[in-house]
Amino acid sequence: MSYMSNEKVLLTGISGFIGLHCAQQLLNAGFDVRGSVRNASKEKEVRETLSAASVDTTNLSIVELDLTSDKGWDDAATGCDYVMHVASPFAIANPKTEDEMFIPAVEGTLRALRAGQKAGVKRVVLTSSVVAMFGSMKTGTFGPKDWTDTTSVQVNTYAKSKTLAEKAAWDFIENQAGETPMEMVSVNPGGVFGPPLGRDITGQSMAMLDQMLRGKMPMLPKMSFPMVDVRDVAKLHVQAMTTADAAGKRIVASTAQPGSFIEAAQILKDQGYKGPSTRVAPSSLLRFVALFDREVKGMVGMLDMNLMADNAQTLSLFNWTPIEFKQSVLDAAAAVQDITR
């Protein structure tokens, strides 16, 4: 799809796993992109990564923005028609203090919204997560009307941060003054798999896949929740930005059926990969390890989870056919092997 509009998009977090795919799809569709990075030294890597993926970066500019600082936000949004706010701290491990994650997530989101409103942008697309919907649920189906209970002790810090940030964003949108209020759409991805656009595999899902392929994960946690391919996440971001009927909606960006690391390992073994193990880690063991390990502690709330997603609105609104989980896993594994050879 090519819009050839020369409309401008402020894309925060352009150097990340999702951000690079969003930049690729926006530039290929004819948008001007102003991408934000935390450090200007990232610009060369972003441009080289996109160029290596055959993306014309003529209409790309890079700005330096920090989620925890007001500096530069108003200038970055000036002249933009849309804001795509992808940047957010992500880690499974619970930080030493919750504010380490809460402050950049919530304040960064509000900075993006305030700058967008001041610049007169039409619509903001906010990258949220399904963890802002399913909270401490273990079984059943969640959907766009569900919200995570941030007071639950079963909810990890990351899920709380995404929920608080998204709620703060919707509160901001609902309390706008003026005749032409800014629109917003939240895109809530499930577990994100699929190939990275560049050669960075330090993100959580790629790092875990790399460990699986190397045989460094002898046991896997028992948890299943809806997954999504990173290329679909980017596609849905662009459609959420450009589809009139998407305004004001929370978009479930995932398959309806759950996927798991155990399933991913089996897919890889069936394709001849030698490293992955399909042994299941006893949940009781992981709960014990969580007493000493912050990363495992962040995972405990999702142990024994087996959730479905109600993605009917997404399928109909965007006429979307999700990339299958098997394809995501195999494409990601091929990319990781190519990078680590």
Side-chain angles (χ1 to χ4, degrees), residues 147-332:
W147 282 98
T148 289
D149 176 7
T150 55
T151 64
S152 169
V153 294
Q154 295 296 314
V155 176
N156 70 12
T157 306
Y158 173 67
K160 289 180 187 177
S161 77
K162 295 305 285 187
T163 309
L164 292 170
E166 191 188 340
K167 281 193 166 181
W170 286 117
D171 285 345
F172 181 95
I173 292 297
E174 286 166 16
N175 291 305
Q176 290 178 96
E179 292 180 16
T180 53
M182 184 170 65
E183 297 174 343
M184 192 178 91
V185 187
S186 73
V187 177
N188 298 60
V192 184
F193 259 85
L197 201 61
R199 301 187 65 79
D200 181 3
I201 55 169
T202 58
Q204 206 83 49
S205 65
M206 290 299 99
M208 194 171 273
L209 184 60
D210 182 36
Q211 292 295 301
M212 286 168 64
L213 291 169
R214 292 173 188 270
K216 298 283 181 69
M217 291 188 71
M219 292 190 291
L220 298 169
K222 184 184 176 186
M223 57 175 74
S224 299
F225 47 87
M227 302 285 191
V228 65
D229 190 285
V230 65
R231 294 162 291 191
D232 275 339
V233 176
K235 181 180 180 181
L236 291 171
H237 272 71
V238 178
Q239 288 180 299
M241 190 180 83
T242 55
T243 303
D245 290 346
K249 291 183 169 62
R250 301 174 79 206
I251 305 300
V252 174
S254 77
T255 55
Q257 297 291 333
S260 69
F261 292 114
I262 296 161
E263 184 185 344
Q266 190 62 57
I267 289 167
L268 294 168
K269 286 185 77 167
D270 290 347
Q271 288 294 313
Y273 287 92
K274 304 298 184 193
S277 165
T278 53
R279 288 181 65 201
V280 181
S283 295
S284 57
L285 172 64
L286 291 176
R287 288 190 178 93
F288 176 72
V289 174
L291 298 173
F292 318 100
D293 187 307
R294 285 193 293 124
E295 185 149 342
V296 177
K297 186 178 180 181
M299 196 187 292
V300 162
M302 294 192 285
L303 291 175
D304 304 315
M305 182 180 279
N306 189 13
L307 288 172
M308 299 269 294
D310 177 2
N311 64 358
Q313 172 184 258
T314 314
L315 299 177
S316 62
L317 191 60
F318 304 124
N319 193 26
W320 179 47
T321 303
I323 295 169
E324 290 185 5
F325 182 53
K326 179 180 179 180
Q327 192 65 52
S328 291
V329 171
L330 293 177
D331 288 353

